[in-house]
Amino acid sequence: MNSAIRIHQYGGPEVLTLESVAVGEPAAGEVRVRHSAIGLNFIDVYQRTGLYPVAGFPQTLGMEAAGVIEAVGAGVDGFAAGDRVAYAMALGSYCNARLMGVDKLVRLPDTIDDQTAAAMMLQGMTARYLLKSSFPVQAGDAILVMAAAGGVGTLLCQWANHLGATVIGCVGSADKARLAQENGCHHTILYKEEDVAARVREITGNAGVAAAYDAVGQATLMASLDSLRPTGTFVSYGNASGPISDFNIGLLAQKGSLYLQRPTLATYIRNRELLNECAQDLFDVVQSGAVKVRIGQTYPLAEVAQAHHDLEARQTTGATLLLP
């Protein structure tokens, strides 16, 4: 039997339960993937709590993993049994094995191991669309990255540095500041102790940043907006501190004719062409050594509740993996 982590209601980490679930053979257009490593992301928390509702219960959580194709259903092109694969944005990864369509699957290069792949697909492709689509970063741009020591943050800072940007990272502790600096930040700000916007103005000669990438949400909204240059871009791509609500769009005018985007990775990998382009960019930058994937911690799949607790308490750094 296959082990899976499922929820039967929304709630805290305690609603995550380990259960035995049959897998079976793939139907037409499906494959069966045996997981070797599973990524943990904040979107998993949002779905567990109901901030992002799931279709129904019981529900297996998890949005990314890496492993090997065990079996292939009729009509599948481009994939075969034995292929090493990875995916992101496909609900149901908290399990040993699963059936799934191939629309989110990509084959892995031989030079990228399974744990690295599971740690980087969702977060790395997120960093890619943030830097190349939400706001196309150019050499010489100054940017602000909230949660710079987190999973997306460490990849985003390295990649932005590689593109020639001046990277300002916002973090919660001195240890996280050191980690952010090791991962491409030229300047770090301790948001609990310093006035973020004032420090950004100091660092940029009062110019402000071209873009602020914010995965924290409500708690850092004003700091991000106040750090932007005129016509700067605020990209809100997460809600770690809670969702932004009752936003007054007039603030964008008052603070310098600002742009605001609330993107999601699903939009940027919505078809095979976009997925392949996004994944290939990620593979290329990792294989070049310009971006290194840091796995901060791993947990057995059965200990997923503790992993969720630690993620929500901001006790994790880099990427977090669940191991089946």
Side-chain angles (χ1 to χ4, degrees):
M1 292 294 286
N2 176 53
S3 294
I5 301 292
R6 304 203 296 180
I7 62 171
H8 294 259
Q9 62 184 19
Y10 298 125
E14 71 280 355
V15 302
L16 297 160
T17 59
L18 180 66
E19 302 176 7
S20 293
V21 180
V23 179
E25 296 301 315
E30 291 185 332
V31 297
R32 186 172 70 238
V33 179
R34 173 70 54 179
H35 292 149
S36 54
I38 301 160
L40 176 73
N41 297 281
F42 247 105
I43 191 172
D44 306 351
V45 174
Y46 303 153
Q47 290 170 333
R48 189 204 75 220
T49 61
L51 179 62
Y52 293 178
V54 296
F57 302 112
Q59 187 67 248
T60 302
L61 295 186
M63 296 293 280
E64 74 174 333
V68 63
I69 294 177
E70 289 188 320
V72 177
V76 170
D77 292 324
F79 295 92
D83 284 349
R84 294 177 57 245
V85 293
Y87 63 87
M89 299 306 290
L91 183 63
S93 68
Y94 284 6
C95 58
N96 294 84
R98 68 179 295 186
L99 300 176
M100 63 184 297
V102 298
D103 58 313
K104 295 294 191 295
L105 282 179
V106 294
R107 284 192 301 277
L108 289 175
D110 292 339
T111 53
I112 295 179
D113 65 84
D114 287 10
Q115 289 199 11
T116 300
M120 78 181 197
M121 290 302 295
L122 193 151
Q123 295 174 349
M125 290 196 296
T126 296
R128 190 267 186 191
Y129 84 69
L130 290 173
L131 292 169
K132 296 197 172 186
S133 297
S134 291
F135 177 82
V137 169
Q138 305 296 316
D141 285 337
I143 65 169
L144 176 66
V145 180
M146 293 290 182
V152 174
T154 53
L155 301 177
L156 179 61
C157 292
Q158 290 179 73
W159 206 332
N161 192 322
H162 175 61
L163 293 172
T166 296
V167 185
I168 305 170
C170 204
V171 295
S173 70
D175 286 343
K176 289 189 174 183
R178 284 189 288 272
L179 178 60
Q181 290 160 9
E182 291 169 3
N183 284 277
C185 278
H186 299 95
H187 309 274
T188 53
I189 300 172
L190 298 175
Y191 72 89
K192 295 179 182 178
E193 303 173 16
E194 301 178 90
D195 182 319
V196 174
R199 282 285 290 124
V200 166
R201 298 290 169 184
E202 179 183 334
I203 292 165
T204 62
N206 206 40
V209 293
Y213 297 103
D214 193 330
V216 179
Q218 186 66 49
T220 52
L221 167 63
M222 296 309 297
S224 288
L225 292 177
D226 288 340
S227 297
L228 289 167
R229 71 186 185 192
T231 71
T233 299
F234 171 53
V235 185
S236 174
Y237 68 99
N239 312 284
S241 69
I244 295 169
S245 59
D246 298 322
F247 180 74
N248 175 11
I249 196 171
L251 286 173
L252 301 177
Q254 296 170 22
K255 293 181 180 296
S257 302
L258 305 178
Y259 292 87
L260 182 151
Q261 188 195 34
R262 181 57 177 91
T264 175
L265 175 58
T267 304
Y268 289 98
I269 58 170
R270 64 187 180 274
N271 58 45
R272 173 55 61 181
E273 181 181 1
L274 291 172
L275 172 60
N276 285 346
E277 181 181 4
C278 191
Q280 192 59 56
D281 274 358
L282 175 60
F283 293 157
D284 288 347
V285 79
V286 170
Q287 288 173 307
S288 75
V291 172
K292 295 178 173 60
V293 180
R294 181 181 183 276
I295 299 170
Q297 47 281 312
T298 63
Y299 301 79
L301 179 59
E303 296 179 13
V304 65
Q306 184 63 51
H308 272 235
H309 174 273
D310 293 347
L311 181 65
E312 289 181 275
R314 302 188 190 181
Q315 294 174 356
T316 64
T317 57
T320 301
L321 292 182
L322 305 172
L323 302 180

